[in-house]
PDB file of all heavy atoms in Angstrom:
ATOM      1  N   ARG A  29     192.908 258.688  70.006  1.00 82.00           N
ATOM      2  CA  ARG A  29     192.209 258.669  68.715  1.00 82.00           C
ATOM      3  C   ARG A  29     192.630 257.459  67.881  1.00 82.00           C
ATOM      4  O   ARG A  29     191.805 256.824  67.227  1.00 82.00           O
ATOM      5  CB  ARG A  29     192.488 259.946  67.921  1.00 82.00           C
ATOM      6  CG  ARG A  29     191.861 261.174  68.520  1.00 82.00           C
ATOM      7  CD  ARG A  29     191.050 261.970  67.502  1.00 82.00           C
ATOM      8  NE  ARG A  29     190.215 262.969  68.152  1.00 82.00           N
ATOM      9  CZ  ARG A  29     188.972 262.789  68.537  1.00 82.00           C
ATOM     10  NH1 ARG A  29     188.392 261.626  68.346  1.00 82.00           N
ATOM     11  NH2 ARG A  29     188.275 263.741  69.131  1.00 82.00           N
ATOM     12  N   PRO A 106     177.125 224.638  87.787  1.00 90.00           N
ATOM     13  CA  PRO A 106     177.899 225.674  88.497  1.00 90.00           C
ATOM     14  C   PRO A 106     179.344 225.720  87.987  1.00 90.00           C
ATOM     15  O   PRO A 106     179.958 224.679  87.722  1.00 90.00           O
ATOM     16  CB  PRO A 106     177.847 225.215  89.965  1.00 90.00           C
ATOM     17  CG  PRO A 106     176.640 224.317  90.042  1.00 90.00           C
ATOM     18  CD  PRO A 106     176.522 223.671  88.704  1.00 90.00           C
ATOM     19  N   LYS A 215     169.961 208.560  47.780  1.00 93.00           N
ATOM     20  CA  LYS A 215     170.716 209.079  46.631  1.00 93.00           C
ATOM     21  C   LYS A 215     171.243 210.496  46.909  1.00 93.00           C
ATOM     22  O   LYS A 215     172.350 210.839  46.500  1.00 93.00           O
ATOM     23  CB  LYS A 215     169.839 209.056  45.376  1.00 93.00           C
ATOM     24  CG  LYS A 215     169.757 207.631  44.835  1.00 93.00           C
ATOM     25  CD  LYS A 215     168.766 207.463  43.726  1.00 93.00           C
ATOM     26  CE  LYS A 215     168.775 205.991  43.295  1.00 93.00           C
ATOM     27  NZ  LYS A 215     167.556 205.587  42.643  1.00 93.00           N
ATOM     28  N   ASP A 413     128.402 223.443  31.913  1.00 76.00           N
ATOM     29  CA  ASP A 413     127.992 224.699  32.555  1.00 76.00           C
ATOM     30  C   ASP A 413     126.483 224.776  32.798  1.00 76.00           C
ATOM     31  O   ASP A 413     125.958 225.835  33.141  1.00 76.00           O
ATOM     32  CB  ASP A 413     128.406 225.901  31.687  1.00 76.00           C
ATOM     33  CG  ASP A 413     129.913 225.971  31.540  1.00 76.00           C
ATOM     34  OD1 ASP A 413     130.606 225.582  32.499  1.00 76.00           O
ATOM     35  OD2 ASP A 413     130.393 226.399  30.472  1.00 76.00           O
TER      36      ASP A 413
END
Side-chain angles (χ1 to χ4, degrees):
R29 291 231 167 268
K215 283 172 181 157
D413 298 327

